[in-house]
């Protein structure tokens, strides 16, 4: 996002740097080209890749847990993701997955949807992200009445992956916990940075 200097607080700056370090380390330059060639929705790839690189970042640098929790909490309080006054559980599945992995409390999933959340949490490679994005988009298209519409959030703020504006919803807020299944620690235990 492009912000005025006064909008980029030290907390949000730390979040953005930590997030982008994750992309620098684990997102290959040709990932978006692979998605384009395979005709996979960019917004879906962006959301699922964010979940993967943030998980890996928190695993490698445990201090990022607290940094990300504080940063996403601040962004949510400023309504950066456009969720204030909305029932987050009425949003489509990909947006709820995004909010969940950004630490939003109260995001609910049906048993059938939880399978996709669990698969997102388990992605380790860029190819797994691309495959999952392709499969999830197709599943949502087949189950459109159950998952609401599934526009990929083209009108929402985005934080990454070669955006030229607002390509994918990257939303949510954060409470005092991490949704990273690998760390198993509270914010207080993991906040070393």
């Amino acid at each position: 996002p492009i912000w005025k200097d006064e909008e980029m607080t030290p907390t949000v700056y730390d979040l953005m740097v930590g997030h982008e370090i994750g992309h620098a380390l684990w997102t290959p330059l040709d990932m978006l080209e692979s998605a384009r060639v395979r005709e996979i929705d960019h917004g879906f790839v962006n959301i699922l890749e964010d979940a993967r690189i943030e998980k890996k970042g928190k695993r490698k640098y445990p201090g990022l847990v607290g940094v990300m929790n504080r940063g996403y909490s601040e962004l949510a309080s400023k309504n950066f993701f456009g969720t204030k006054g909305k029932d987050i559980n009425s949003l489509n599945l990909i947006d709820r997955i995004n909010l969940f992995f950004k630490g939003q409390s109260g995001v609910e999933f049906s048993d059938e949807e939880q399978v996709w959340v669990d698969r997102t949490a388990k992605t380790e490679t860029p190819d797994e992200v691309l495959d999952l994005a392709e499969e999830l988009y197709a599943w949502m298209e087949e189950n459109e009445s159950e998952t609401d519409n599934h526009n990929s959030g083209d009108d929402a703020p985005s934080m990454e992956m070669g955006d030229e504006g607002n390509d994918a919803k990257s939303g949510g807020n954060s409470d005092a916990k991490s949704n990273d299944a690998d760390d198993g620690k509270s914010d207080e235990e993991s906040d070393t940075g």
Side-chain angles (χ1 to χ4, degrees):
I2 300 171
W3 288 325
K4 297 175 185 168
D5 288 340
E6 64 272 9
E7 293 173 331
M8 179 68 79
T9 66
T11 300
V12 172
Y13 181 84
D14 289 347
L15 162 67
M16 297 293 180
V17 169
H19 183 90
E20 293 308 321
I21 285 170
H23 282 300
L25 291 173
W26 298 296
T27 302
L29 294 174
D30 64 351
M31 187 175 188
L32 285 179
E33 179 61 17
S34 296
R36 188 192 65 74
V37 168
R38 290 175 59 178
E39 298 181 352
I40 304 171
D41 185 276
H42 172 87
F44 278 56
V45 173
N46 190 41
I47 288 168
L48 299 175
E49 178 65 352
D50 279 359
R52 181 183 81 89
I53 62 97
E54 287 188 357
K55 171 186 68 180
K56 291 175 82 69
K58 291 177 203 176
R59 187 186 298 154
K60 185 170 181 78
Y61 306 108
L64 281 179
V65 173
V67 167
M68 289 186 170
N69 285 342
R70 288 187 301 274
Y72 283 128
S73 181
E74 183 175 314
L75 288 176
S77 73
K78 293 178 178 184
N79 199 29
F80 179 78
F81 304 113
T83 58
K84 280 193 179 167
K86 292 184 180 177
D87 175 7
I88 59 173
N89 291 307
S90 68
L91 299 174
N92 64 57
L93 177 57
I94 190 66
D95 290 335
R96 284 182 286 129
I97 287 172
N98 190 33
L99 291 172
F100 176 79
F101 283 98
K102 298 296 188 212
Q104 174 73 50
S105 62
V107 181
E108 298 173 0
F109 301 99
S110 69
D111 291 343
E112 199 171 13
E113 292 170 337
Q114 188 63 45
V115 170
W116 298 102
V117 176
D118 295 343
R119 287 185 64 192
T120 300
K122 292 177 183 173
T123 59
E124 292 291 334
T125 68
D127 287 337
E128 289 173 355
V129 168
L130 293 174
D131 292 345
L132 182 61
E134 188 171 47
E135 292 171 39
L136 177 55
Y137 189 92
W139 184 85
M140 286 180 67
E141 206 165 54
E142 291 170 14
N143 296 279
E144 194 164 359
S145 64
E146 296 171 30
T147 62
D148 196 13
N149 69 54
H150 71 287
N151 106 26
S152 61
D154 288 342
D155 57 347
S158 178
M159 291 173 37
E160 26 245 296
M161 284 188 55
D163 286 344
E164 293 171 3
N166 299 326
D167 285 335
K169 189 170 281 187
S170 186
N173 76 20
S174 180
D175 51 20
K177 67 180 179 67
S178 167
N179 285 320
D180 184 9
D182 294 327
D183 69 84
K185 296 178 184 176
S186 71
D187 183 26
E188 292 79 22
E189 293 170 320
S190 294
D191 188 10
T192 59

